[in-house]
């Protein structure tokens, strides 16, 4: 196929549909089932073609005719996962299709043997120690063909996978780029390339074909690189271009909202997805994460039972069940199901990270560290694993390690307040107060999810005897807590009110101090201090017999300059 024919504008949806139908057939012939599934889901979202518009069958060469019987026999063995048998009957075939299936059968045979060896291992943490023995031979053979320029788009993709498995990542990136230039419509090659892109600079440096499928890749990459605004805009453009019925796009938008913790929006999209595709298992582990965060036990239980009925031996099903047990605080059972998920797929990123969380709950820090490290090996962009390592070393009281891992997490999620607060705490432990203050203020500026940044910043100012700054932060903290409409469990409003009461009293703002003291009486832990402050204010007023109007008279030179405006607590009543 010529590049000009492949690279079509979104306006020509008929041409795109034809291309998808063609690539589905090509992928199925070669046993690339996930790429065929992706293209099929996308094709299903477009209007059906009339009979006379259907694309012609791919060209049949003399070599294809010669290898037809061997290829048909081998493909039947391949479909039954008898990979060695398939490879045996394909040996010596000349056609490109037969050569790909021959090499792919050998690769999958090695993967199957590797998995079989690890089934009875002590646990999933040992999985990385077993290798596919066929990889080196495959690399040597494919390298010779590559140098001679004899590899087509599919075989280039396989060569890239072999290089990636051998940790030759730079070479793998170059080969995957070559593969997508040779065959732009093969989604598997784009997906493999996406796993190797570590940052936006690397993404910009890639030479990608100017094809409509590139927009899907860029949207996927923006989601992976936590550039959620750009990702959502890309997916919106794709919907407007004619892919509004695509369940793939709905699922990706839901994942994007999950990544920015817009839980309600993500849940709504997952419910819509379940209505359209009730037997879908893809992305259901992400859906279960959202239900877990919201504490929705009945819904999570229903989802787990439903997925077990559909397919109990899918990775996503095991992760959902693990989340269910974790929500019920049955952490040993949860870890067991995450281990099952990893037996099914050792490269399941979510399972490694979630298992790390469970080991943390069980206070097994060494196992947690191993699990998080495995997650990073699978995907260096997984901020949750870096953050988890930071938390683990925090428990082990190793602040320099903490700082390193929290910095990594922050680089991946620069606008996530939780990373910034964790960084601030690490700096504080290392007595780097200036850096800690910057982190806390930045966390507040980007939108503090847990409403902790201002409180920590205020306490830090208080420790450093920066009373005006502390009062300012406490005041903002109270306004922030009351304006969010719900009282948070960890909210320390009474702490802020106590400090402000004393601050206003010292600055002779007795009306504000009195109001803070009265509000202190609403909290059990501050009631006595509130009453004591009210008595002090009453005594001072009795002594000086100053009308309240004079409280707002210009301050004398001996009085500290008031930088904090009086707090209007009435407008922030919870």
């Amino acid at each position: 196929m010529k590049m000009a024919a492949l690279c079509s504008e979104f306006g020509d949806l008929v041409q795109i549909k034809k291309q998808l139908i063609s690539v589905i057939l090509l992928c199925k012939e070669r046993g690339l089932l996930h790429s065929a599934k992706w293209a099929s889901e996308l094709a299903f979202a477009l209007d059906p073609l009339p009979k006379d518009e259907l694309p012609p069958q791919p060209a049949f060469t003399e070599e294809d005719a010669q290898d037809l019987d061997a290829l048909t026999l081998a493909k039947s063995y391949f479909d039954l996962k008898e990979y060695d048998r398939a490879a045996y009957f394909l040996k010596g075939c000349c056609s490109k299709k037969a050569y790909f299936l021959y090499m792919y059968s050998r690769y999958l045979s090695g993967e199957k043997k590797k998995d079989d060896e690890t089934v009875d291992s002590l646990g999933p943490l040992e999985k990385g120690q077993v290798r596919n023995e066929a990889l080196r031979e495959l690399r040597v053979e494919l390298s010779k063909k590559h140098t001679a320029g004899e590899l087509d788009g599919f075989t280039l993709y396989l060569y890239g996978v072999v290089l990636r498995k051998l940790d030759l990542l730079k070479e793998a990136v170059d080969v995957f780029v070559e593969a997508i230039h040779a065959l732009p419509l093969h989604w598997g090659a784009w997906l493999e390339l996406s796993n190797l892109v570590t940052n936006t600079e690397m993404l910009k440096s890639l030479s990608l074909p100017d094809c409509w499928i590139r927009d899907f890749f860029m949207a996927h990459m923006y989601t992976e690189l936590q550039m959620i605004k750009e990702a959502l805009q890309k997916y919106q453009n794709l919907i407007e271009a004619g892919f509004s019925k695509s369940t793939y796009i709905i699922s990706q938008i839901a994942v994007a909202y999950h990544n920015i913790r817009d839980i309600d929006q993500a849940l709504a999209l997952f419910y819509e997805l379940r209505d359209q595709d009730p037997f879908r298992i893809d992305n259901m582990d992400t859906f279960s994460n959202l239900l877990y965060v919201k504490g929705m036990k009945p819904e999570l239980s229903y989802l787990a039972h439903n997925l077990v009925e559909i397919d109990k031996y899918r990775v996503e099903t095991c992760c959902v069940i693990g989340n269910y047990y974790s929500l019920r605080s049955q952490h040993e059972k949860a870890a067991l199901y995450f281990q099952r998920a990893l037996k099914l797929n050792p490269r399941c990123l979510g399972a490694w990270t979630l298992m790390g969380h469970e080991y943390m709950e069980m206070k097994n820090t060494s196992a947690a560290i191993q699990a998080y490290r495995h997650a990073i090996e699978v995907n260096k962009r997984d901020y949750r694993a870096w953050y988890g390592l930071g938390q683990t070393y925090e428990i082990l009281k190793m602040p320099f390690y903490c700082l390193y891992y929290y910095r990594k997490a922050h680089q991946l999620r620069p606008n996530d307040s939780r990373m910034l607060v964790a960084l601030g705490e690490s700096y504080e432990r290392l007595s780097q107060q200036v850096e800690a203050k910057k982190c806390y203020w930045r966390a507040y500026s980007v939108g503090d999810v847990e409403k902790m940044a201002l409180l920590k910043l205020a306490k830090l100012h208080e420790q450093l005897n920066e009373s005006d700054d502390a009062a300012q932060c406490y005041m903002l903290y109270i306004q922030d807590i009351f304006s969010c409409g719900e009282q948070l469990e960890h909210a320390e409003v009474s702490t802020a009110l106590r400090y402000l009461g004393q601050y206003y009293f010292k600055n002779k703002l007795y009306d504000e101090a009195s109001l803070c003291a009265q509000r202190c009486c609403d909290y059990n832990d501050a009631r006595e201090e509130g009453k004591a402050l009210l008595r002090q204010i009453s005594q001072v007023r009795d002594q000086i017999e100053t009308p309240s109007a004079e409280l707002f008279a210009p301050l004398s030179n001996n009085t500290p300059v008031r930088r904090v405006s009086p707090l209007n607590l009435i407008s922030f009543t919870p």
Side-chain angles (χ1 to χ4, degrees), residues 105-216:
S105 296
R106 289 171 62 190
Y107 165 75
L108 288 178
S109 171
E111 286 294 293
K112 188 170 183 285
K113 285 167 187 169
K114 182 190 80 170
D115 291 343
D116 289 345
E117 275 184 51
T118 56
V119 164
D120 298 320
S121 66
L122 294 172
L125 296 177
E126 289 82 17
K127 275 200 175 278
Q129 297 166 12
V130 185
R131 278 198 174 271
N132 180 343
E133 295 298 330
L135 292 175
R136 296 191 187 282
E137 285 180 29
L138 291 171
R139 185 204 168 194
V140 171
E141 292 178 41
L142 288 166
S143 177
K144 286 176 186 173
K145 292 262 187 184
H146 182 236
T147 307
E150 295 175 7
L151 299 183
D152 66 357
F154 287 114
T155 325
L156 281 166
Y157 155 75
L158 180 59
Y159 184 34
V161 170
V162 169
L163 291 170
R164 196 254 300 157
K165 287 275 186 178
L166 289 168
D167 292 325
L168 300 167
L169 304 184
K170 190 175 182 303
E171 294 95 320
V173 169
D174 294 338
V175 171
F176 283 131
V177 169
E178 197 179 335
I180 59 178
H181 274 282
L183 188 69
L185 291 179
H186 179 210
W187 180 244
W190 291 95
L191 213 51
E192 283 288 347
L193 179 62
S194 77
N195 291 329
L196 300 177
V197 177
T198 51
N199 52 51
T200 48
E201 288 73 26
M202 185 177 174
L203 180 62
K204 286 173 187 171
S205 69
L206 293 175
S207 168
L208 302 173
D210 186 20
C211 180
W212 60 264
I213 203 168
R214 177 180 170 163
D215 284 323
F216 283 89

Side-chain angles (χ1 to χ4, degrees), residues 35 123 167 216 255 268 286 315 337 460 479 484 508 551 555:
S35 293
D167 292 325
F216 283 89
V255 169
T286 307
V315 171
Y337 274 96
L460 185 55
Q479 292 173 357
C484 75
K508 301 182 180 178
L551 287 170
L555 299 170

Side-chain angles (χ1 to χ4, degrees), residues 23 60 79 125 127 256-257 279 303 318 367 444 475 502 523:
V23 84
F60 206 66
D79 291 340
L125 296 177
K127 275 200 175 278
Y257 279 121
F279 293 94
L303 179 64
C318 293
Y444 168 68
M475 186 178 77
Q502 293 294 340
Y523 300 89

Side-chain angles (χ1 to χ4, degrees), residues 67-80:
D67 295 340
L68 181 61
D69 292 336
L71 188 59
T72 306
L73 177 65
K75 184 62 168 63
S76 66
Y77 294 146
F78 180 93
D79 291 340
L80 292 167

